[in-house]
Amino acid sequence: GRRFFRGVRCNWAAPARMQRHPPARTSDSDPSWNMAAITPPPSAAGDADAALAPEPLLGGGVMLDASQVLRDEFSCPITCELIHEPVIAADGHTYDRDGIERWLNSHSTSPKTGKELEHLNLVVNHNLKRLIDDLVQEGGAGLYTPSQLDAPTAAAGGGPPRVLVRERLLVMRCSESSAADQRGRAFRIPQAGAEGGRRRRSEAADRHFVQVSEDKNVSRQHFDVSYDAGAGAFRVRDVGSASGTFLRVSHGEGRPLYPGDMFRLGRHELLVDAGAAGGLRLRCVAPEGSPLQSSEYEVGVNGATLGRNKSSSVCFAVDVDGVAMGIDQAISSVHARIACVPGSSPRAYVLLDGSSDRPSSNGTWFRMSPMHEQSRHFPLAEGTELLVGLSRFTVSIEETVVEVEFTSGVGGLSGGCAGHAR
């Protein structure tokens, strides 16, 4: 594989052509809908098995010779890789945040000196972070020691040439989890992709892996992330998990709903079926034992509201001596809405989060596929939120420096290459 280094964060979103179900935007002042966004769901067969190679390069590369190595001040003493998020520990040394936090989960001593740490607090090293970001933007040459070889010796070789190039990197940061050591952890995924779940497959030992541990709701192989070089975007799919992989519906954006789709509010999941007279029918399918389990609700041209309010079309409350008692504390009073797109024929419906002026507290989540079924690919962009079991992740896109070793006989930076890991 390749050796992936930290890059600078950039605001980069998936192109519109990657959005298989692009959200329809709405606003309080303009209730009209973007009809171009309401399109029939394509078959999962076409893209589910597409193996798209990572995009080779974003720009020109920087040549390295055999004498050049990553400078110590930019290398984490724990991971021996370029520091992603520089933080200073009580021993005065700078580490990568992920590396030192994992160390401190089982140690109270300094990784450098072995002495007991006075405290476990970490302070961001802003100066080093800015310096690393600047050097990455400049191509990464400044991260390495100067060449110790003269030009003829360097040209003579000592192994295949190494080149530093820039590539995109997807970061999944865990914002909420039932496992304390999972919260705040960042998983960096290169364009080569990654798998995610409770346990890594032995045959995929060389792939990046997003491990969601200590959660019985997560399947061993739950989801995977890949990079579509043609569209220039990362994407995610559920690989047939039992509990599903969910995308958060952004407030103010409508996600189209079709028969067969599923979505989640709090602990409750609803299945969308075709209803009467061109409408939809919602059926509560989870959790087991809920008072609403197997209940059905018709949604017509006037749409529907979902929440704890007694006036909601789908009410997540029961009457106890004349008082409405919520059955799911994770559901807001007005948690979600379903709207019929004006003028659509046949009728088209969209799922919206919260009320018109306020999002729900815990989100409305769209399920990628039913139980044990592989989903189609969904684009990932800056700010996308994912729910896997009881863990939430927020996506960001960075630019990183990659050390690439080119095989002999390949001409040009855009030719074939072999990854180099040390």
Side-chain angles (χ1 to χ4, degrees):
R2 300 180 177 186
R3 184 176 182 179
F4 289 87
F5 294 147
R6 160 79 165 122
V8 294
R9 186 166 176 169
C10 59
N11 292 323
W12 181 86
R17 57 179 168 157
M18 238 324 255
Q19 299 183 12
R20 304 194 55 142
H21 280 234
R25 284 194 172 271
T26 182
S27 67
D28 299 338
S29 59
D30 182 6
S32 63
W33 297 92
N34 176 8
M35 288 301 296
I38 312 301
T39 54
S43 166
D47 69 346
D49 299 318
L52 296 174
E55 186 179 24
L57 304 171
L58 292 178
V62 176
M63 296 296 297
L64 300 173
D65 65 40
S67 72
Q68 294 179 272
V69 296
L70 184 64
R71 291 165 58 177
D72 289 342
E73 56 266 41
F74 303 132
S75 176
C76 174
I78 298 173
T79 65
C80 298
E81 294 286 348
L82 188 72
I83 295 174
H84 297 296
E85 296 181 61
V87 292
I88 305 171
D91 60 3
H93 294 286
T94 296
Y95 303 90
D96 178 76
R97 178 182 291 277
D98 186 58
I100 188 63
E101 286 184 344
R102 298 182 74 179
W103 170 273
L104 295 177
N105 283 336
S106 55
H107 300 80
S108 59
T109 56
S110 165
K112 286 280 285 184
T113 67
K115 295 180 180 180
E116 197 75 15
L117 294 170
E118 293 182 3
H119 57 79
L120 304 183
N121 299 328
L122 302 172
V123 178
V124 177
N125 190 334
H126 292 287
N127 289 334
L128 183 59
K129 180 174 175 11
R130 282 193 292 267
L131 178 57
I132 291 175
D133 287 350
D134 289 344
L135 292 174
V136 167
Q137 285 184 316
E138 293 169 3
L143 300 169
Y144 281 73
T145 58
S147 174
Q148 303 300 312
L149 304 179
D150 55 33
T153 306
R162 294 176 298 143
V163 181
L164 283 181
V165 296
R166 297 195 305 273
E167 285 191 350
R168 293 188 180 102
L169 188 71
L170 181 134
V171 181
M172 289 179 57
R173 186 176 299 278
C174 183
S175 57
E176 185 176 316
S177 176
S178 57
D181 62 347
Q182 188 92 352
R183 291 192 290 270
R185 186 176 176 189
F187 297 89
R188 286 174 168 78
I189 301 173
Q191 290 178 195
E195 296 182 358
R198 194 156 37 89
R199 184 178 301 177
R200 185 194 301 266
R201 294 185 300 127
S202 57
E203 58 269 32
D206 59 338
R207 292 200 71 190
H208 281 71
F209 189 72
V210 179
Q211 185 166 17
V212 188
S213 57
E214 300 182 22
D215 189 341
K216 63 181 181 180
N217 299 299
V218 177
S219 300
R220 291 186 178 185
Q221 286 79 52
H222 200 103
F223 66 94
D224 67 24
V225 175
S226 58
Y227 184 77
D228 184 340
F234 285 95
R235 56 190 191 170
V236 63
R237 66 175 175 179
D238 187 287
V239 294
S241 70
S243 62
T245 304
F246 296 81
L247 290 165
R248 186 166 187 169
V249 179
S250 298
H251 184 255
E253 294 186 349
R255 177 168 286 278
L257 281 181
Y258 303 96
D261 284 343
M262 300 176 70
F263 61 94
R264 176 172 175 169
L265 289 70
R267 297 180 296 108
H268 285 73
E269 290 186 37
L270 293 101
L271 173 66
V272 180
D273 288 324
L280 298 178
R281 180 179 297 114
L282 306 180
R283 179 160 54 92
C284 182
V285 295
E288 292 284 339
S290 169
L292 300 188
Q293 187 175 1
S294 300
S295 298
E296 295 187 346
Y297 308 87
E298 292 290 333
V299 180
V301 66
N302 294 323
T305 56
L306 302 90
R308 294 204 321 268
N309 279 351
K310 291 182 65 175
S311 60
S312 298
S313 310
V314 182
C315 180
F316 293 86
V318 294
D319 187 275
V320 179
D321 298 329
V323 179
M325 301 294 291
I327 60 174
D328 190 335
Q329 296 305 309
I331 294 181
S332 303
S333 297
V334 180
H335 196 105
R337 295 164 292 145
I338 296 176
C340 179
V341 180
S344 56
S345 181
R347 289 182 190 166
Y349 294 84
V350 291
L351 175 67
L352 298 133
D353 177 68
S355 62
S356 60
D357 59 352
R358 180 179 298 179
S360 64
S361 298
N362 295 294
T364 301
W365 301 85
F366 180 86
R367 183 165 176 162
M368 294 183 185
S369 62
M371 180 184 293
H372 301 310
E373 290 187 20
Q374 181 174 283
S375 75
R376 63 184 181 273
H377 288 97
F378 289 82
L380 292 173
E382 186 81 19
T384 299
E385 292 186 65
L386 293 169
L387 180 66
V388 180
L390 299 176
S391 296
R392 294 188 187 184
F393 297 89
T394 302
V395 167
S396 61
I397 309 296
E398 296 180 352
E399 192 174 279
T400 188
V401 176
V402 184
E403 186 180 318
V404 180
E405 181 182 284
F406 285 85
T407 57
S408 60
V410 177
L413 291 180
S414 60
C417 62
H420 176 56
R422 293 185 301 175

